Amino acid sequence: MPPMSTASVAIDLGSSVITTVVGGRNEHGRLHILGVGQSPSAGIEAGQISHVSRAAGAIRQSIDQAEASSARGILSVGIAVSGAHLQSMNNRGAVALPSLADPIRDIDLSRAIDSGRAVTISAASTLLHAIPRYYVVDSERRSFDPRGQHGQRLDVSMHLVTASQSAIQNAAHCVQNAGVDVELIAAKPVVAAERAVRGDEKEFGVLVVGLDAGTTTLTAFEDGAISHTSTIQIGTAHIARDLSIGLHCSSDEARRVMHLHGQAVPQLIPNDAANIELRGFSPGASDVQSVPPSFVAEIISARVAEIISMINARITEFQLQHAVAGGIVLTGSGAMLGGVDLLFSKAMESPARIANAGDLYGLTDRLNRPDALGAVGMLDWMLDSGDFVQLSQTAAPKRRAEGTSSMFSSIASGVAGLARVFSPNS
């Protein structure tokens, strides 16, 4: 078990489930999960806060579960955020090296990164990530780590991810209202994708598709590095809505049917498959109806096909064909729909697979699913960046009173610190 001084706490502010994960690394470098908390999401729609007090209550419930399972009190956390406000661009920076006789050092990399992140963005936005993609020494030698090499000029290709300041403020406010401080904020599509893909997939190119409740995210890797991050405002909540309308049932019943019987390829359903019983809008026993699973699958398949067509449009717009040719990795709750990988593979003419959280140790039962990549990826990212948050040695810490000031004098003045730019490899 890793010592508590090197443990981190990550929260995925999902639109369907809020997941809190406590963990560190064991002696073999594997993630050791010490505690997990999950609560139904409330006050969060399409990745953004819609009701502060409801969201804070759901976050507090998730944190309480994580504290109980880890037997440690949580004082501060890192959070993974999503939403259509996340945008990305690639930029290039360059600096002159002080001496051809001296090898390239960390300080030279830092100067190049500062040059590459110097871009003009909207006053309403903040720079959330500045990730070095690769370096080039003297305009000829490409390298992922040029330290120790000699040259006269160092270039760096950067992937920059921006976020809405108000969205970041709202997320931080809700977490602080739940009684803990915020140490770090990262983009969920980035951290989930980094955890989901393998090194060979990054090299050959891969597109990570996050089928979440309120959004569908795209994260592309090409030539060993991240090249694109974007969000489409449609997700599995739209599938549940379609089922509610098509099956004439409540939204809760539609979500239950989707999670238990969701199948994206009607042709995979056996001819003798039993009908699905579901309740309508009224609670009476006479309102129970029976529907064939093929009908449910047809509704799901139609909406997934629409999502794929929107993804294809985004691929054309940003010229991501090279990434798609290497394969598709599916994350999020929508990745658990039966046959969804086959549907993606056929429609996009590329191999597709369902992501998993990878090599984990400890309390992993609830994390070996594609919808847990946000929380696990955030934890992984925090540990690699060296950001360790506060854990008390008791299961019930004295939290801040709701509404009191935190580590920042105000949310507005603290945004720059909360959403500080970092990369675990820089």
Side-chain angles (χ1 to χ4, degrees):
M1 179 180 295
M4 289 299 99
S5 61
T6 60
S8 289
V9 184
I11 300 181
D12 173 15
L13 299 179
S15 297
S16 59
V17 177
I18 295 174
T19 302
T20 302
V21 179
V22 182
R25 294 202 190 279
N26 64 13
E27 64 274 18
H28 304 295
R30 296 169 60 190
L31 283 184
H32 185 141
I33 306 301
L34 305 174
V36 180
Q38 290 182 314
S39 64
S41 185
I44 302 176
E45 296 180 5
Q48 298 191 59
I49 304 300
S50 59
H51 195 290
V52 172
S53 61
R54 290 177 185 172
I59 293 168
R60 184 180 297 113
Q61 182 180 350
S62 178
I63 292 174
D64 287 343
Q65 290 183 21
E67 287 180 334
S69 61
S70 66
R72 293 293 187 275
I74 297 171
L75 304 179
S76 56
V77 301
I79 59 177
V81 298
S82 58
H85 64 96
L86 296 175
Q87 299 182 13
S88 73
M89 69 185 83
N90 294 325
N91 192 47
R92 198 173 181 96
V95 294
L97 295 171
S99 171
L100 183 62
D102 295 329
I104 296 173
R105 299 173 298 168
D106 287 336
I107 190 172
D108 301 314
L109 269 60
S110 295
R111 290 193 301 119
I113 290 172
D114 287 341
S115 173
R117 59 184 277 192
V119 297
T120 301
I121 61 175
S122 165
S125 299
T126 185
L127 186 59
L128 198 59
H129 293 292
I131 305 172
R133 301 182 63 232
Y134 58 84
Y135 301 88
V136 178
V137 180
D138 287 346
S139 302
E140 58 184 30
R141 301 193 303 274
R142 175 172 164 172
S143 173
F144 290 104
D145 186 358
R147 287 174 293 187
Q149 299 183 37
H150 295 260
Q152 296 178 309
R153 172 187 167 111
L154 179 64
D155 290 65
V156 61
S157 176
M158 303 285 295
H159 183 67
L160 309 177
V161 180
T162 63
S164 161
Q165 289 201 41
S166 61
I168 295 299
Q169 289 172 355
N170 290 335
H173 191 179
C174 287
V175 173
Q176 290 170 331
N177 276 2
V180 296
D181 285 327
V182 178
E183 295 286 338
L184 193 65
I185 298 180
K188 177 180 175 178
V190 172
V191 297
E194 287 283 357
R195 182 69 190 183
V197 300
R198 302 185 296 259
D200 59 332
E201 290 176 324
K202 289 184 180 181
E203 185 63 33
F204 289 109
V206 69
L207 180 68
V208 181
V209 178
L211 298 170
D212 297 316
T215 61
T216 294
T217 60
L218 305 180
T219 310
F221 292 86
E222 301 176 82
D223 299 323
I226 187 171
S227 63
H228 176 82
T229 306
S230 66
T231 303
I232 299 172
Q233 287 187 284
I234 187 171
T236 58
H238 295 78
I239 298 177
R241 190 176 304 146
D242 292 343
L243 289 172
S244 178
I245 295 172
L247 302 177
H248 304 288
C249 64
S250 67
S251 57
D252 288 342
E253 185 70 357
R255 285 191 291 268
R256 185 189 71 84
V257 170
M258 181 177 66
H259 293 319
L260 295 180
H261 308 284
Q263 171 62 250
V265 183
Q267 293 82 358
L268 294 180
I269 297 177
N271 294 329
D272 58 350
N275 283 355
I276 299 171
E277 291 189 353
L278 64 148
R279 298 176 295 275
F281 284 103
S282 57
S286 60
D287 198 42
V288 174
Q289 60 176 315
S290 179
V291 297
S294 58
F295 181 58
V296 173
E298 287 170 1
I299 295 175
I300 294 174
S301 178
R303 180 63 81 168
V304 174
E306 180 188 3
I307 293 174
I308 292 174
S309 68
M310 297 175 73
I311 293 173
N312 281 328
R314 192 66 59 89
I315 290 169
T316 301
E317 178 182 358
F318 292 98
Q319 300 180 349
L320 304 176
Q321 291 84 355
H322 178 66
V324 176
I328 302 163
V329 177
L330 301 173
T331 71
S333 58
M336 294 185 289
L337 294 170
V340 69
D341 53 336
L342 300 178
L343 188 57
F344 266 82
S345 181
K346 181 178 180 181
M348 302 184 71
E349 299 182 346
S350 182
R353 70 173 179 87
I354 307 299
N356 58 62
D359 196 16
L360 300 177
Y361 179 68
L363 304 178
T364 64
D365 291 348
R366 288 184 284 176
L367 301 179
N368 289 318
R369 298 154 46 107
D371 61 344
L373 265 297
V376 175
M378 184 66 196
L379 179 64
D380 200 19
W381 186 277
M382 293 175 71
L383 292 168
D384 281 351
S385 70
D387 282 87
F388 306 121
V389 300
Q390 302 174 51
L391 294 177
S392 73
Q393 296 299 310
T394 61
K398 182 179 180 181
R399 289 203 182 103
R400 288 187 297 102
E402 183 173 340
T404 61
S405 62
S406 70
M407 60 187 293
F408 301 107
S409 59
S410 69
I411 295 292
S413 64
V415 169
L418 285 171
R420 66 182 180 275
V421 177
F422 75 102
S423 166
N425 300 317
S426 62

